[in-house]
Amino acid sequence: MAIDLKSNPVVAALPGGGWIAEFKQDDGSVETYPLVAWLVLADGEMIPMDASASGDAQDPREVANFQRMYHPDATGTGCRPRAACDASGGSAPVRGDT
């Protein structure tokens, strides 16, 4: 996602807060990486950011093998326990949920 700094600038950055991005590898294994920050745009949208091994920050949803983001301690009122954001932007259960 390209951020248009003229019409919708970043107004704040918040810590990743324990959120995790999950990626499925070609061999079927899953790798997880912590989100390092959330960018807050002027319109209120929040963009998750993780960092590559080389130190480049990126929105994990833009990576081809992105599966989902989740917080390992998340529970909510009116939603399924430990809900996660999947690649389509919807809710998906975290492994182990019943």
Side-chain angles (χ1 to χ4, degrees), residues 16-25 29-38 48-56 58-61 63 65-72:
W19 283 81
I20 296 171
E22 183 177 278
F23 302 89
K24 187 171 185 176
Q25 303 305 312
S29 65
V30 173
E31 290 186 10
T32 60
Y33 297 94
L35 294 184
V36 296
W38 293 90
M49 299 299 287
D50 70 356
S52 68
S54 64
D56 296 324
Q58 61 190 2
D59 180 341
R61 300 171 299 173
V63 179
N65 63 338
F66 171 75
Q67 293 293 295
R68 63 184 176 159
M69 290 182 299
Y70 64 94
H71 194 286

Side-chain angles (χ1 to χ4, degrees), residues 1-13 38-47:
M1 167 189 178
I3 299 171
D4 182 355
L5 296 177
K6 289 184 180 182
S7 66
N8 196 19
V10 174
V11 296
W38 293 90
L39 300 181
V40 182
L41 304 183
D43 68 358
E45 181 179 2
M46 294 181 67
I47 308 293

